[in-house]
Amino acid sequence: MARLLLCFLLHTADSLGGDVFWAAGASLITHLPRKPHWPVKAHAFLNAGQLESLHRPHQGERDGRGAASSALQSSIAAALTQPSVSAGVGLIYHFDPVRVELNFGVPLAARASDGTRKGVQIGIGLEFL
């Protein structure tokens, strides 16, 4: 699980992140054993994704349509071939429209710049729609 703040601190040229992004996730949610009526559920998850900056042409390289297309292709290839992946288990308490999670996650694959750590995390989500 990557530390979000580290993305902003290490990418000083563009504090908003990158130009190419993808994310995917899978989650299995089930009742707690012998407590199917409780609003607390158990879940296991696997998340993958990557954020990549557009590879800009270096000084002296031609600027133009060919260079821009090549930069986009190399950025997409880097984002797809080097994903960050994490997995974990946790508990979900769902009380419409709020969802609270207590998870234990482990990074499975990451870049050196991702700033990963394993451990317990608490998340709160709000359903808008």
Side-chain angles (χ1 to χ4, degrees):
M1 297 181 303
R3 285 182 264 171
L4 183 60
L5 183 59
L6 195 57
C7 288
F8 295 109
L9 295 176
L10 292 178
H11 201 295
T12 57
D14 180 8
S15 64
L16 296 177
D19 302 306
V20 179
F21 170 77
W22 71 272
S27 184
L28 297 172
I29 301 172
T30 186
H31 300 288
L32 293 176
R34 294 186 233 163
K35 302 292 183 184
H37 59 282
W38 277 19
V40 177
K41 308 293 181 203
H43 79 126
F45 61 89
L46 178 70
N47 295 322
Q50 193 56 261
L51 174 68
E52 185 72 31
S53 295
L54 190 61
H55 298 152
R56 311 260 187 236
H58 295 296
Q59 198 74 328
E61 291 182 24
R62 66 181 170 94
D63 289 328
R65 199 170 166 164
S69 174
S70 174
L72 181 60
Q73 288 175 351
S74 66
S75 296
I76 291 172
L80 291 175
T81 59
Q82 301 171 6
S84 295
V85 182
S86 66
V89 294
L91 297 173
I92 299 172
Y93 176 73
H94 192 87
F95 182 74
D96 276 335
V98 178
R99 176 175 164 155
V100 179
E101 295 185 12
L102 177 64
N103 297 319
F104 178 81
V106 178
L108 302 176
R111 293 182 179 178
S113 61
D114 280 348
T116 61
R117 67 178 176 86
K118 65 180 178 181
V120 176
Q121 292 186 343
I122 297 174
I124 298 174
L126 183 61
E127 189 174 314
F128 290 105
L129 301 176

